[in-house]
Amino acid sequence: MLEELSKDLSENLGGRNMPDKKRCLLSVAMIMKNEEHNLDRALGSIKPYVDEIIVVDTGSTDNSVEVAKKYTDKIYFHEWKDDFSEARNYSLQFPTCEWVLIYDADEEVKEDFAGIREFLASLPDDVNTVYLPTLSYLDWDLKKTEIASTARVFRNGTVRYENIVHNQPIYKGKVVEAPFTIYHYGYIWTRKLKKKKYERTRNLIVKLLEEDKNMPSQERAYYLCQLYKTEMIGGNAIELYPIVNKVIEIIKKDQKMPAIAFEVLLMHALALNAKGFNKEARELLEFLLRIEPKNPDPYYGLLAVSEAEKKYEETIFYGEEFLKRIEYVEKNPQEFTWTIIAIKYTPMVHTLLAIAYLKKKDIEKFKMHFEKIFDKSKLTVAEAQKLVNALLKYITEVDDDDFIKIVPEIEKLLYEVYQLGVHFNVLDIVERVKKIGLQFNYDLFEPFLRGNFGKLVLENLKTKKDGLMEYIFGPDENQWAEKIEKMGLEAVLFFYENLPNSSPEKLRVLNKLRKSENEVIKGVSHGLIADIYLEKANFKLALEYYKTAAEILPELGRFVKPILDDLKTKLDPTIEGIFHELKRFYFENKELMTGALKEFPKDELERLYLISDTDFAKYISATNIWKSNKEKAARLLDSISKKEEFPFLEYRYAKLFEDSKDQEELKKAYLYHAEALKKNTVLGDLALGVYKFDNFYPHEVFGNKSDEIVWVGNISEKHSGLGVISPLRVWRKANRYYYVEPFHVDEAIRIYKQKRNNYNLPTLEVKREDVLKVLGELGTENIKVYEEEDEKYVGLVRNVASEVGIDYDNSSKNIVSFEIVNIAKELGEVVKNFESGVLFYFVPDFNNHDDIVWYYPIFRFIRTRKQVEDELRKAGAKKIRHYVLNESLRAVVFER
C-alpha cells in the first residue's frame, strides 16, 4: 500500500519543469507588527532590487512604522483579525508593479539576489509564479539551517492566500524556479518571543481545528502538521504522537497528503528511531524516499537507522547518498519545494560515515570524512558534544594497529574539541596512548586533565613520574605526616610499604609521626624507623627505636623480641623487621587502604593505574571497576607482578566470575574462592572476623556435580557460618529444588542455632503478623510447631493460636514449620505424617546475586512455589493455598 501511495504522491507533489523567461517590474508586499528590530535589515537589503515597497502595519506599538518610513512612503494600516491570510490578501491590493514579492520583516536578501530583475524580465507571458529558495537559520551562530523552495513571486493579481496561520498562496501556473535565496531569521527567538509566538500560533490552529468540523481532510492534515511543528517549537513533546497519528490516518484514507506532511513524517521517523523502533522508522523513511527520491532527508533518516542497527555497509551507502543529494540541493535550492531539514546534520553524517569506515577498517575514507566533521561554519557546540561522544566510543575500540594509524586524527580531535569548548573525557585515549607507548603530543591532553589527578596523569605520561603518594597524601610533602595521621594506622603502613627506604622523605615523615599523640601511631612509627635503620646496618639506632616502640606500645613487644634476640646472635641487616608482622597483626582481615580511599572520587580510583605503575594502583583500580568492566579488572589483576603481596587477590578474581551465567566461569569463581580461603584464612569469616577458615565443616555427599550452578559465593560477606557451616557455598539446580554444596549435616545446623544467640547477625524472620495472616486460614482445632525445640517459634505460634482460637497441642497432627522447606531433604516424607499445616519458607530474587537468602547459613534448599506444590501433592495433600508475605517470605497451607 505504501508503495502505491508513494508513487501517486510523487506524481502529485514532485518537481516542476523550468519554463521560458520574460521581463517584469517588481513590488514588495509586507505585513508587519512590532518589527523595529528587524526592519532595517529586511528593507535595507531588498530596496536596491525592487521598484516599490508596500508595508501594511497590523497594529505595531513600537517604532516599526518610523523605521519603515526610511524605505517607503507606501505604508498602510489594517486591524489584525487573527488571520494571516486575511492580512496578506489585504496587502496585495496596493502593489502597482507587474510582479509582487511576498516578503517578511524577519528576512533578508544578499548580493546573490541581484540577478532576479534580469531573470523576471526574461520570463514569457504565461508564467505567473516563481519559486525561490528560503534558507532558515535555526540558531544564533547561524550554523544550523533548513532550506525549502516556496512560491514567493507572483504576477500581480494572480495570487491570494488561505489559512489563518502559515498562510499558503493559491496561485496560477505556469510556475518556474529561480536560484535567488531569501534568508530567514524567524526561527531564532528569545525565550520570551518564542513563548509568545508559540502560544499565539498554537491557539489559532487549535481554535480553527475545533471550530471547523467540516474542514476538508487534506486541509485538516495541513493544519495538524502545522500544529505538530508548533508543538515542537514549544517543546510540548507529549502532543506530538497523537497529532502525527491523525495525520497518518488522513494520508492512508485519502491516498494523498499535503507537502508539509513530508517534513512531519520525517521528524516522526527520526523520533521512532531514537526510541528504538528501527523497523517502523525504516518503513516510513523508505515510503518518503519513494515519494521524493531527490530529497536528502530520508537518506539521513535511513543512515541513522542503519547506524543504530550497526549495519555499517548500509550506513555507508545512505551516508554517501545523502552527501551527494545535499550537494545538489546547495547548488539548486530552487528545485526543492519540500523543506530540507537534514542539511544541518551534515557534520553528524560525516561523523557516522567516519565511524562506519573505521569499523570497516577503511582508514583512508575514515580520514577523509573525519576532516569534514569540524566545519565551524556548520557545527554548534551542542552538536559538537554529540559528535565527540560518538567518535570517542569507537576510536577507543579499534585495535592497536589502527589506533596508531589514526593518531593525527586523534590529535586533531583533541585540538578541535578544545577550540570548541566541548567537555571531553580524554582518559580512554590517554590509556591507549600509554598502553601502546606512542609518540604523541601530550600537551593536547592538558586542557582536559583537570585537578591534581589530571596533573599527575600528565606528569606520568611525560616523565614516568609515579604520582601515587602525591595523589593520596597531597602535593605538599610537608603536610604528608598530618594527612597520614588523620587517615590512621593503615595509612602509616601503606606509606611505609610504598615509599622506598632510600627516600629521605620516608624518615622525615616517620619522625613527625613518632611524635603523634596517638599511642598506636607513635609506637608503630618508632618500630618502622627501626626497620629502616636495621636495613641500613645502623644497629645501634635500630635497637634503640625497637625498644622505644615496645615501651610506647607493649603489644609490639612480641614482634620486637625475636628481632632483638636475632641481633644478639648476629648483627645482620637482612634480618626481617617488624613491618610485615605489624601489617598482618593490624590488618589481617582487611584490604589495606581500601577503606581509607573510599573518600576519593571513584572515577579517579578506577584509573589510578594512569598515575602509577605500582601493583597497588592496579589492584585498587581493579577493585573499583570490577562491577562495570570485569574484563578490564581481570587484566589489571593479571598485570600485578607480586601477587603474593595481596592476600585478597584470589577473592577479587572470584568476584569477577561469580555473577556470570556461564557454567565454566562459575566453576572458576568456585576455584578462586576455594584458593582464596586457603591462602587467606580470615576470609572464612568476613562478617565477624572470629572464625578463620579451617576447612573443617561437617558435610555429606549430596546431589550431582553435573547439576547446573546458579550461585557461587562466600556467605561470610553478609553472614557467618560460625565455624560449623562452610563459608564457601555453591547453589545448584535440580528438578525438585535448588541445593547447597557443600551440604552441611543436620548436626551442624543444630550447633549453629545454639551458637548464633551469642551474635548479632542478620536474620530472616517470620513475624507475628505473618503467622496471624496465615494461621487463621488453616481451619483446625489444634496446632503445634514442627521445630518444637525452638522456643522462639513455639512462643510465637502459641501467642497467635490463642488469638485465632486454636489450641496448642504437642501431639497435634497439624503443624506450623518455619524451616523444613529450606532444610529438609525430603519435604514429602515430613509432610505425609501430618493432616494439615502451614509451611513458611524463603526464596531469593533469582536475578539478584546479593539477596540475603543465598547467604543464609542454615539453608540447604530453595524451593519454588511449583516445587513446593509438587512435593505436597505427591505426599497426598488435596488442598493447597499459597501466600506471598513479603519480598522473600512465602507460606503454603496444605490439607491432606
Side-chain angles (χ1 to χ4, degrees):
M1 181 177 177
L2 282 178
E3 284 194 30
E4 294 175 1
L5 176 55
S6 59
K7 182 179 179 183
D8 293 340
L9 291 171
S10 182
E11 292 173 357
N12 293 335
L13 302 170
R16 296 167 173 81
N17 296 323
M18 292 283 288
D20 295 332
K21 303 175 182 179
K22 183 187 174 181
R23 184 179 67 85
C24 70
L25 293 174
L26 184 58
S27 295
V28 162
M30 173 190 288
I31 60 173
M32 72 171 187
K33 182 178 180 180
N34 293 334
E35 296 283 359
E36 67 171 314
H37 56 293
N38 281 325
L39 280 174
D40 276 320
R41 179 183 61 207
L43 296 180
S45 65
I46 197 67
K47 188 172 178 62
Y49 311 118
V50 300
D51 302 295
E52 180 181 53
I53 296 176
I54 305 295
V55 175
V56 172
D57 184 75
T58 60
S60 294
T61 56
D62 62 2
N63 292 321
S64 294
V65 174
E66 286 72 18
V67 176
K69 286 179 180 177
K70 294 192 297 183
Y71 302 96
T72 182
D73 58 357
K74 296 185 178 182
I75 299 174
Y76 304 89
F77 299 92
H78 184 65
E79 181 183 354
W80 176 246
K81 299 177 182 178
D82 283 344
D83 188 331
F84 280 94
S85 290
E86 190 275 336
R88 188 76 76 188
N89 289 333
Y90 178 83
S91 73
L92 289 174
Q93 66 181 295
F94 300 109
T96 60
C97 297
E98 183 179 349
W99 292 89
V100 180
L101 166 66
I102 304 302
Y103 189 61
D104 287 328
D106 56 7
E107 294 178 330
E108 176 186 23
V109 297
K110 299 180 181 179
E111 291 81 2
D112 56 357
F113 202 76
I116 193 167
R117 296 183 67 84
E118 183 180 350
F119 175 81
L120 293 174
S122 67
L123 292 177
D125 292 343
D126 60 349
V127 173
N128 291 296
T129 302
V130 180
Y131 270 61
L132 300 181
T134 300
L135 187 142
S136 295
Y137 293 113
L138 306 178
D139 67 319
W140 291 104
D141 295 325
L142 308 183
K143 293 179 178 179
K144 298 177 75 172
T145 60
E146 292 177 352
I147 195 166
S149 186
T150 57
R152 297 297 292 266
V153 182
F154 308 95
R155 198 176 294 277
N156 202 341
T158 65
V159 64
R160 63 181 176 82
Y161 278 79
E162 292 183 355
N163 301 335
I164 60 172
V165 293
H166 300 289
N167 43 101
Q168 295 294 298
I170 307 302
Y171 50 83
K172 297 179 179 179
K174 263 183 174 180
V175 174
V176 296
E177 299 152 347
F180 306 109
T181 303
I182 294 175
Y183 298 86
H184 176 226
Y185 298 85
Y187 294 148
I188 309 173
W189 300 324
T190 62
R191 285 169 294 177
K192 183 176 180 180
L193 183 58
K194 180 179 181 180
K195 182 180 179 184
K196 181 180 177 182
K197 288 197 173 189
Y198 162 70
E199 291 175 348
R200 180 187 67 185
T201 305
R202 182 187 184 278
N203 292 340
L204 286 172
I205 298 173
V206 170
K207 180 181 178 183
L208 179 66
L209 288 169
E210 289 176 349
E211 291 181 353
D212 191 350
K213 302 298 183 184
N214 298 318
M215 182 185 297
S217 58
Q218 285 299 293
E219 186 178 346
R220 182 168 293 276
Y222 167 81
Y223 278 117
L224 285 168
C225 289
Q226 291 291 5
L227 183 59
Y228 182 97
K229 293 180 69 176
T230 301
E231 296 292 13
M232 282 197 73
I233 292 169
N236 195 9
I238 60 174
E239 299 292 342
L240 299 181
Y241 188 71
I243 293 171
V244 80
N245 273 351
K246 292 176 183 177
V247 173
I248 292 172
E249 286 176 12
I250 294 172
I251 293 171
K252 287 182 177 179
K253 182 180 178 182
D254 292 357
Q255 291 292 290
K256 63 179 181 177
M257 69 183 193
I260 190 176
F262 190 98
E263 180 182 354
V264 169
L265 294 182
L266 176 77
M267 291 187 287
H268 182 57
L270 294 177
L272 285 171
N273 186 59
K275 286 276 190 180
F277 295 96
N278 311 122
K279 179 175 178 291
E280 294 82 353
R282 183 183 290 276
E283 289 176 354
L284 188 51
L285 290 162
E286 288 174 346
F287 163 68
L288 294 175
L289 195 58
R290 289 193 294 271
I291 293 173
E292 186 64 27
K294 291 170 65 177
N295 192 311
D297 288 349
Y299 288 96
Y300 172 76
L302 289 164
L303 162 72
V305 171
S306 301
E307 197 278 333
E309 294 175 343
K310 308 303 178 191
K311 296 178 179 177
Y312 295 110
E313 290 287 357
E314 282 190 11
T315 300
I316 290 169
F317 171 77
Y318 287 120
E320 296 289 8
E321 288 298 313
F322 170 84
L323 292 174
K324 289 177 188 174
R325 283 160 175 74
I326 281 292
E327 184 179 4
Y328 186 83
V329 168
E330 289 175 338
K331 291 179 179 177
N332 305 279
Q334 71 280 1
E335 293 184 20
F336 292 86
T337 59
W338 311 83
T339 300
I340 308 298
I341 66 172
I343 192 169
K344 58 182 173 286
Y345 300 132
T346 303
M348 177 60 81
V349 172
H350 284 297
T351 302
L352 296 181
L353 280 170
I355 289 169
Y357 282 121
L358 193 59
K359 294 296 288 187
K360 301 294 291 182
K361 300 181 77 65
D362 189 334
I363 301 302
E364 289 307 310
K365 287 190 177 176
F366 161 79
K367 289 173 177 281
M368 180 184 76
H369 285 285
F370 182 90
E371 286 299 316
K372 297 177 181 178
I373 292 172
F374 297 99
D375 182 348
K376 294 182 178 61
S377 67
K378 296 179 180 178
L379 194 61
T380 65
V381 173
E383 189 175 25
Q385 185 73 69
K386 294 179 184 178
L387 306 189
V388 167
N389 291 341
L391 279 168
L392 180 63
K393 177 181 183 297
Y394 289 95
I395 284 174
T396 54
E397 287 178 352
V398 301
D399 60 38
D400 289 350
D401 289 341
D402 285 344
F403 190 89
I404 292 168
K405 293 175 185 175
I406 63 173
V407 163
E409 284 67 38
I410 297 172
E411 292 182 335
K412 178 179 173 60
L413 176 64
L414 292 169
Y415 174 79
E416 295 290 354
V417 166
Y418 174 65
Q419 294 296 315
L420 287 163
V422 169
H423 174 72
F424 187 52
N425 185 351
V426 78
L427 292 178
D428 284 328
I429 292 179
V430 170
E431 182 174 340
R432 291 297 296 279
V433 169
K434 182 176 180 179
K435 171 180 172 284
I436 300 171
L438 287 174
Q439 291 295 319
F440 201 88
N441 183 358
Y442 298 132
D443 290 333
L444 291 170
F445 291 133
E446 187 170 2
F448 307 100
L449 295 173
R450 309 281 172 85
N452 187 49
F453 180 81
K455 178 179 78 72
L456 294 172
V457 169
L458 194 62
E459 287 179 356
N460 185 271
L461 279 174
K462 288 183 172 182
T463 66
K464 307 299 181 187
K465 173 187 173 181
D466 192 292
L468 182 62
M469 306 302 281
E470 185 175 334
Y471 175 72
I472 295 176
F473 301 126
D476 187 353
E477 293 181 358
N478 293 319
Q479 296 181 2
W480 280 8
E482 182 182 342
K483 183 74 178 287
I484 291 170
E485 185 175 13
K486 189 179 294 185
M487 294 176 75
L489 180 59
E490 66 178 319
V492 178
L493 295 176
F494 169 80
F495 169 79
Y496 181 86
E497 184 173 36
N498 285 276
L499 204 67
N501 281 353
S502 58
S503 170
E505 188 62 27
K506 194 168 193 175
L507 263 179
R508 190 179 69 79
V509 171
L510 288 172
N511 272 316
K512 286 185 178 180
L513 291 171
R514 71 184 175 87
K515 300 172 185 176
S516 171
E517 294 181 3
N518 183 311
E519 292 296 307
V520 175
I521 291 178
K522 185 176 182 179
V524 167
S525 297
H526 275 83
L528 296 176
I529 292 171
D531 277 1
I532 293 175
Y533 284 128
L534 176 63
E535 185 181 299
K536 293 177 180 292
N538 190 334
F539 302 112
K540 181 180 178 182
L541 280 176
L543 287 167
E544 288 179 8
Y545 275 99
Y546 280 132
K547 290 176 182 177
T548 304
E551 291 170 1
I552 295 170
L553 202 61
E555 63 196 70
L556 297 183
R558 61 169 148 162
F559 308 129
V560 169
K561 187 177 184 304
I563 299 173
L564 297 179
D565 291 342
D566 287 344
L567 289 174
K568 287 177 186 176
T569 304
K570 183 181 179 182
L571 296 176
D572 183 357
T574 63
I575 292 173
E576 189 176 274
I578 66 170
F579 167 72
H580 289 289
E581 293 294 337
L582 290 175
K583 186 178 175 184
R584 279 191 291 270
F585 178 69
Y586 285 110
F587 295 100
E588 184 179 41
N589 64 339
K590 293 182 181 179
E591 294 174 283
L592 190 63
M593 286 298 284
T594 55
L597 290 175
K598 284 183 180 178
E599 65 180 79
F600 289 78
K602 189 174 186 299
D603 60 337
E604 293 181 359
L605 295 179
E606 289 176 354
R607 306 270 193 169
L608 202 58
Y609 57 88
L610 291 180
I611 66 171
S612 171
D613 295 322
T614 61
D615 286 346
F616 177 82
K618 297 170 186 174
Y619 185 80
I620 291 297
S621 291
T623 60
N624 277 275
I625 205 172
W626 73 273
K627 282 193 174 182
S628 60
N629 193 334
K630 289 180 169 51
E631 184 179 336
K632 186 173 182 179
R635 287 201 306 269
L636 287 166
L637 293 177
D638 288 344
S639 68
I640 292 173
S641 57
K642 295 182 179 179
K643 292 181 170 58
E644 67 278 3
E645 297 293 330
F646 296 88
F648 285 77
L649 184 70
E650 286 74 18
Y651 170 73
R652 288 297 177 181
Y653 270 117
K655 299 299 289 180
L656 294 179
F657 299 109
E658 66 181 27
D659 271 341
S660 176
K661 303 295 183 184
D662 180 82
Q663 289 297 295
E664 292 305 313
E665 290 193 347
L666 288 170
K667 289 175 185 176
K668 280 185 183 179
Y670 174 82
L671 293 173
Y672 275 121
H673 271 304
E675 188 177 349
L677 286 161
K678 292 174 184 176
K679 178 179 176 181
N680 184 8
T681 58
V682 300
L683 286 164
D685 193 16
L686 287 166
L688 296 177
V690 175
Y691 298 96
K692 292 184 180 181
F693 179 77
D694 61 9
N695 209 24
F696 179 60
Y697 306 100
H699 60 278
E700 59 184 277
V701 176
F702 187 88
N704 191 322
K705 289 287 186 183
S706 64
D707 285 340
E708 178 188 352
I709 299 172
V710 296
W711 190 93
V712 176
N714 182 332
I715 67 169
S716 75
E717 290 177 15
K718 294 181 180 292
H719 222 285
S720 174
L722 301 182
V724 294
I725 294 175
S726 173
L728 176 56
R729 171 168 290 183
V730 174
W731 281 99
R732 292 185 183 273
K733 180 182 180 181
N735 289 331
R736 294 168 53 203
Y737 37 60
Y738 297 79
Y739 63 93
V740 295
E741 178 190 309
F743 191 87
H744 42 283
V745 298
D746 292 346
E747 183 66 4
I749 295 175
R750 185 188 68 78
I751 296 170
Y752 177 90
K753 291 169 73 172
Q754 287 179 342
K755 281 186 168 188
R756 72 180 176 186
N757 294 327
N758 299 321
Y759 298 98
N760 182 23
L761 288 165
T763 57
L764 287 170
E765 289 187 338
V766 180
K767 296 181 179 179
R768 184 177 184 277
E769 56 264 32
D770 299 320
V771 181
L772 191 62
K773 180 176 181 180
V774 182
L775 195 58
E777 300 291 321
L778 192 56
T780 63
E781 294 182 356
N782 52 66
I783 198 81
K784 76 171 186 177
V785 173
Y786 178 77
E787 297 85 7
E788 55 190 351
E789 77 286 351
D790 194 312
E791 295 178 1
K792 183 177 178 182
Y793 290 153
V794 172
L796 176 60
V797 173
R798 281 184 180 276
N799 180 286
V800 174
S802 298
E803 181 173 341
V804 298
I806 301 176
D807 293 334
Y808 192 92
D809 183 350
N810 288 327
S811 61
S812 177
K813 288 294 183 179
N814 308 298
I815 61 165
V816 176
S817 172
F818 296 87
E819 295 176 355
I820 61 171
V821 175
N822 290 116
I823 290 177
K825 295 179 189 176
E826 295 295 337
L827 180 60
E829 290 299 312
V830 175
V831 167
K832 72 181 183 181
N833 296 316
F834 299 96
E835 293 299 320
S836 67
V838 176
L839 309 180
F840 292 97
Y841 63 101
F842 292 88
V843 293
D845 177 347
F846 286 91
N847 291 320
N848 180 8
H849 190 93
D850 292 327
D851 193 306
I852 189 65
V853 176
W854 300 115
Y855 296 80
Y856 212 61
I858 63 171
F859 288 174
R860 299 190 297 196
F861 296 95
I862 291 168
R863 289 178 165 99
T864 65
R865 172 175 172 156
K866 184 179 184 306
Q867 289 168 343
V868 170
E869 182 158 338
D870 288 346
E871 293 281 332
L872 292 176
R873 293 206 181 278
K874 287 178 184 177
K878 303 299 183 185
K879 294 182 180 179
I880 299 172
R881 297 185 296 282
H882 296 274
Y883 299 85
V884 177
L885 299 171
N886 63 37
E887 190 173 338
S888 58
L889 178 61
R890 310 288 184 265
V892 60
V893 175
F894 72 91
E895 296 177 42
R896 289 172 55 80

